[in-house]
Amino acid sequence: MSPPDTAQHWREAEKEYTDEVIGNTTISQLFEESAERNADLDAQMYKGGIYPRAITPEILPEPKPGEYTTISYEKMSEIVRRLAIGFRELGMDPDDRVGMFSNTRMEWALCDFGLLAAGGVVTTVYTESSPKQIKYLLNDPGAIGVVVENESLLDRIIKVQDDLSLEFVVVLDNLTKYEDVDQIHTLDEVYELGQQHYDEADYYSMVDSRNVHDLASLIYTSGTTGKPKGVKLTHHNFRANVNQIRKRAGPRPDRGDDIPVMDAGKRSISFLPLAHVFERTVGHFYMFASGATVGYAESPDTVSEDIKKIEPYGAASVPRVYERIFDQMRDQASGSDLKERIFEWAVDIAREYGKTNDPSLTLKLKHGVANQLVYKQVKQQLGGNTEYLLSGGGSLDKRLSELFKGMGIPIYEGYGLTEASPVVSAAAPEDMRPGTLGTPVPDVETKIDDSMVSQDQFEEAKGDVGELHIKGPNVTEGYWEMPEKTEEAFTPDGWFKTGDIVEQRDDGYLVYHDRLKNLLVLSTGKNVAPEPIESEFSTSSRIEQIMVMGDNEKFVSALIVPNFNAIRRWAENRNISLPGTKEEVCENDQVHEWVEEDVELVNRNLEKHETIKRFELVHMEWTPENDMLTPSLKKKRRNITDEFAEKVERIYDEQSEAATADD
């Protein structure tokens, strides 16, 4: 933790800081200004052999399969300009809504900037969406067009095309089935239209005609508790958040060379959904505003391979990904008792080192040895050039944060939500405090409403606890054509109600507790926040995923997806014969007892009413594809309990409750 005078220094410095990135322009003007400043620098880095790209190699050079190449800001700008004119030639007018229905890839970024420059409003559709969801996500905003990644996703559009009012469809990849359909175009056709009709003066006139308060995007909420809401985000909202991030994390003159900052010429890696506001602002708008190079992973499943080729300076992700990185580290250390003991020793040293700003000589020596044996290899696995990681979209376990900090790869945690474009708070690079969400970024006001929670449940808090309310230039004005929902979301005096239970400490730092709607109210009257309990298992070698339950029940319970690889290793080492299927493994008493050992370790650190009294093992991992996680990897709790209703019923049947009460 930084001394008070140091904290005061950086807080004052960021308020006063300004540079060429910070401004009050539209996102399109932001991009054009950056492209001019950074014309010769690499803008995008992309992999070959993945897609049958519609844009020809003459326009966009195709790398060798499995290898990466780059295009400059000058080239990226040239493509964006042609696409903008091309979309206009397809019939798009200012303020028309156009959907983006694609996985994260370089063309997503090109089309996003092209559509915005043409005056469009980009509305995003997650690739996991069913035809029914697609129909809603395109009809609700009145989309007149949609950009689709490939024919596989296009098939879903075709299933509901009679219920849509689309004037055009643009496909990023080559067509085979639909190449003769009039309203369906490939991206190279849009580029060629733009090339034929391009006039530089007309282009700049088109860009400059947009106002910062014009709508830029509609991003729909997950809809886990009802109909998805379209969050209205203007150019001003996004631009303000870019400014706020730059002030907090940019290359300010008060910073020493030891403070990692993302700036022109440095690389980042992009693999989270660009349809989600976290990646859209932090990994896309902010990176291109700063003149960074954005390298695109082939997919989230290939990040461990692609990151070694991209060699990013920084990366942004969600807590679940960092938990998986830790799991991979541990798996690589398995195989012999000696390797496992060295790894666990190095983990303990890293955590101890990450907790202190004044390590002893003995700790420094141990840390140096652990660095040679373990930490250097971890950094190489992350590309060898990574100086920092960002975490958002959920709560990061404090111990995991201390571990990465101690290894020399700090994870800067922040807090945000779609309605805030999204960043509300973030750790300052020179004042990182594991277990916190940092402090509110410049120009964001916060206050705590403690009327919705029982304060005696948060006796150990170092400040006020309650629902976080916010104000700021990055905060939405409301939801698309939902005036009642908009009114519900704001207090009468204009504060946005986040729905999150947050602790605001006396030093200004925020600590996340849970979603207000997730708070479990036991039949005994006790309140339990499930996410902090679930975070306790983030470094468990035996538990892959866990969901804590207990609303309106007498006790807390859990559904657990065990680590099946770890189970197999454990069984082999002890000559235990296991059944063949995962379903049968989950019913095995020895496996249940083995997992229970980790549950009991966590229970020791919980209040009595928070302890997990019973749990059931489930065989199916929760993913966005099976609709048990949102695209940003948050649990869809209702969907999970519905899927495993029999397991939940088994936990809370009368006989189980009676047995638990006797414990």
Side-chain angles (χ1 to χ4, degrees):
M1 184 183 297
S2 297
D5 58 337
T6 303
Q8 183 65 25
H9 175 71
W10 67 255
R11 289 179 183 181
E12 291 298 326
E14 71 176 13
K15 289 179 185 177
E16 303 299 325
Y17 181 64
T18 189
D19 63 12
E20 68 276 5
V21 172
I22 296 168
N24 185 32
T25 61
T26 65
I27 291 297
S28 303
Q29 290 166 331
L30 171 152
F31 175 73
E32 285 295 334
E33 290 169 3
S34 179
E36 184 176 348
R37 284 195 310 271
N38 304 295
D40 296 331
L41 296 181
D42 292 335
Q44 293 183 296
M45 188 175 186
Y46 57 102
K47 191 177 183 181
I50 309 172
Y51 317 109
R53 300 181 192 276
I55 291 188
T56 63
E58 290 76 25
I59 303 167
L60 194 66
E62 179 66 14
K64 294 179 181 178
E67 299 302 317
Y68 276 85
T69 192
T70 61
I71 59 170
S72 68
Y73 271 89
E74 182 178 32
K75 180 64 175 178
M76 183 180 178
S77 175
E78 182 261 317
I79 297 173
V80 165
R81 294 178 183 188
R82 271 64 182 179
L83 292 178
I85 299 298
F87 281 119
R88 276 289 183 93
E89 290 299 317
L90 284 182
M92 198 191 85
D93 292 323
D95 297 314
D96 279 344
R97 276 78 63 199
V98 177
M100 282 295 304
F101 185 31
S102 168
N103 288 296
T104 294
R105 52 190 282 185
M106 71 175 307
E107 290 95 333
W108 207 115
L110 296 171
C111 289
D112 189 27
F113 284 118
L115 288 165
L116 291 173
V121 177
V122 176
T123 179
T124 60
V125 183
Y126 292 110
T127 54
E128 297 83 7
S129 300
S130 66
K132 180 180 178 182
Q133 292 168 327
I134 292 166
K135 183 171 72 171
Y136 175 80
L137 293 173
L138 292 177
N139 273 341
D140 186 68
I144 61 105
V146 61
V147 177
V148 185
E149 181 171 16
N150 50 39
E151 287 187 320
S152 176
L153 296 184
L154 181 55
D155 286 338
R156 289 187 229 165
I157 299 282
I158 298 299
K159 286 181 181 178
V160 292
Q161 64 178 334
D162 292 341
D163 299 314
L164 301 174
S165 301
L166 300 177
E167 296 177 16
F168 64 82
V169 176
V170 173
V171 186
L172 302 184
D173 288 343
N174 286 319
L175 294 172
T176 56
K177 292 188 291 185
Y178 302 106
E179 55 186 343
D180 295 324
V181 181
D182 289 341
Q183 288 181 313
I184 299 177
H185 312 268
T186 52
L187 193 60
D188 63 319
E189 293 173 17
V190 181
Y191 178 91
E192 292 300 336
L193 267 177
Q195 180 79 328
Q196 292 168 21
H197 297 88
Y198 184 75
D199 179 87
E200 189 169 295
D202 288 345
Y203 172 79
Y204 276 108
S205 175
M206 181 173 68
V207 168
D208 293 340
S209 69
R210 299 300 284 169
N211 186 282
V212 292
H213 295 291
D214 286 337
L215 193 59
S217 193
L218 292 172
I219 300 181
Y220 280 79
T221 60
S222 60
T224 54
T225 58
K227 188 179 292 186
K229 301 185 291 289
V231 180
K232 297 192 292 185
L233 296 174
T234 64
H235 287 267
H236 179 64
N237 292 145
F238 283 124
R239 191 64 169 94
N241 212 216
V242 169
N243 293 345
Q244 291 161 332
I245 299 168
R246 184 74 174 183
K247 284 175 175 286
R248 175 59 51 90
R252 299 196 314 258
D254 60 295
R255 290 192 155 131
D257 294 338
D258 60 327
I259 302 296
V261 293
M262 180 59 72
D263 201 11
K266 293 181 178 178
R267 291 179 183 174
S268 69
I269 183 171
S270 180
F271 59 90
L272 294 179
L274 273 167
H276 187 261
V277 70
F278 179 42
E279 184 67 17
R280 183 97 167 281
T281 296
V282 177
H284 174 65
F285 290 146
Y286 178 72
M287 292 300 169
F288 289 118
S290 299
T293 306
V294 180
Y296 298 91
E298 176 180 342
S299 75
D301 294 332
T302 65
V303 169
S304 58
E305 167 196 328
D306 295 335
I307 200 169
K308 296 172 190 173
K309 296 179 179 179
I310 295 173
E311 299 180 343
Y313 182 81
S317 192
V318 293
R320 182 70 183 136
V321 171
Y322 298 127
E323 292 167 10
R324 286 176 173 167
I325 290 173
F326 176 77
D327 290 341
Q328 291 170 358
M329 290 161 46
R330 185 168 47 211
D331 286 345
Q332 290 170 0
S334 64
S336 74
D337 287 342
L338 178 60
K339 285 176 66 177
E340 290 178 10
R341 285 201 301 270
I342 290 173
F343 176 76
E344 294 300 334
W345 172 80
V347 164
D348 290 341
I349 295 299
R351 283 183 178 145
E352 187 178 353
Y353 200 84
K355 290 178 183 179
T356 179
N357 286 324
D358 187 23
S360 66
L361 177 59
T362 301
L363 182 57
K364 287 180 180 178
L365 292 173
K366 290 180 179 178
H367 186 269
V369 174
N371 184 54
Q372 292 298 318
L373 295 174
V374 177
Y375 311 153
K376 284 179 68 174
Q377 284 71 25
V378 173
K379 198 160 187 176
Q380 286 302 315
Q381 292 294 315
L382 294 173
N385 193 41
T386 303
E387 293 296 324
Y388 74 91
L389 302 168
L390 300 176
S391 181
S395 183
L396 181 70
D397 180 61
K398 180 179 180 180
R399 293 170 302 170
L400 200 62
S401 179
E402 291 168 343
L403 167 63
F404 275 83
K405 181 183 178 186
M407 290 193 298
I409 314 167
I411 303 178
Y412 299 129
E413 192 171 5
Y415 164 81
L417 64 166
T418 304
E419 290 87 345
S421 309
V423 181
V424 171
S425 71
E430 57 269 82
D431 199 1
M432 175 194 172
R433 306 187 189 187
T436 77
L437 305 169
T439 62
V441 293
D443 300 322
V444 166
E445 300 176 72
T446 60
K447 71 175 184 177
I448 298 294
D449 176 8
D450 62 6
S451 65
M452 302 293 287
V453 300
S454 174
Q455 290 300 303
D456 63 357
Q457 301 298 312
F458 302 99
E459 294 175 354
E460 297 182 5
K462 298 178 181 178
D464 296 329
V465 181
E467 183 184 17
L468 181 69
H469 292 183
I470 60 173
K471 276 185 179 181
N474 52 317
V475 178
T476 181
E477 65 178 31
Y479 302 110
W480 177 259
E481 296 187 344
M482 286 187 172
E484 298 87 359
K485 292 294 184 182
T486 297
E487 186 176 358
E488 289 174 12
F490 288 86
T491 65
D493 54 348
W495 292 84
F496 179 79
K497 299 182 286 188
T498 67
D500 288 313
I501 303 172
V502 171
E503 173 186 339
Q504 187 155 11
R505 302 193 328 191
D506 295 338
D507 59 9
Y509 278 72
L510 303 181
V511 177
Y512 183 80
H513 285 275
D514 218 315
R515 288 289 289 166
L516 189 61
K517 67 183 180 183
N518 289 345
L519 196 66
L520 307 177
V521 182
L522 304 184
S523 60
T524 61
K526 291 288 189 179
N527 292 348
V528 176
E531 281 198 30
I533 299 173
E534 292 163 357
S535 293
E536 291 286 323
F537 293 91
S538 62
T539 56
S540 167
S541 61
R542 305 180 184 189
I543 294 173
E544 187 70 23
Q545 293 172 300
I546 181 169
M547 189 183 80
V548 172
M549 307 177 295
D551 200 35
N552 295 318
E553 302 289 353
K554 293 179 182 177
F555 60 88
V556 172
S557 68
L559 294 175
I560 293 174
V561 181
N563 184 329
F564 289 100
N565 290 332
I567 289 173
R568 297 294 179 191
R569 289 196 299 268
W570 162 76
E572 289 172 4
N573 291 339
R574 287 159 180 77
N575 294 317
I576 296 172
S577 178
L578 290 177
T581 69
K582 289 182 177 180
E583 292 95 326
E584 291 170 328
V585 168
C586 288
E587 296 296 325
N588 184 277
D589 289 340
Q590 288 176 290
V591 171
H592 194 280
E593 290 170 4
W594 182 68
V595 172
E596 190 171 20
E597 291 175 8
D598 265 21
V599 173
E600 288 306 314
L601 283 175
V602 169
N603 277 343
R604 292 176 192 173
N605 298 320
L606 301 176
E607 297 296 324
K608 185 177 180 180
H609 67 276
E610 296 176 322
T611 56
I612 297 170
K613 301 293 195 299
R614 291 179 59 82
F615 66 88
E616 287 285 337
L617 302 179
V618 299
H619 69 282
M620 186 189 305
E621 183 180 357
W622 311 327
T623 67
E625 288 72 26
N626 60 29
D627 204 29
M628 287 189 240
L629 297 182
T630 69
S632 56
L633 305 184
K634 296 187 181 74
K635 298 181 187 75
K636 290 190 174 182
R637 294 176 184 271
R638 186 184 301 171
N639 291 11
I640 293 171
T641 53
D642 287 349
E643 178 68 29
F644 304 106
E646 287 187 15
K647 298 273 189 176
V648 177
E649 186 176 350
R650 189 191 302 181
I651 288 173
Y652 287 114
D653 67 28
E654 291 183 8
Q655 187 175 0
S656 297
E657 290 202 24
T660 303
D662 293 337
D663 287 346

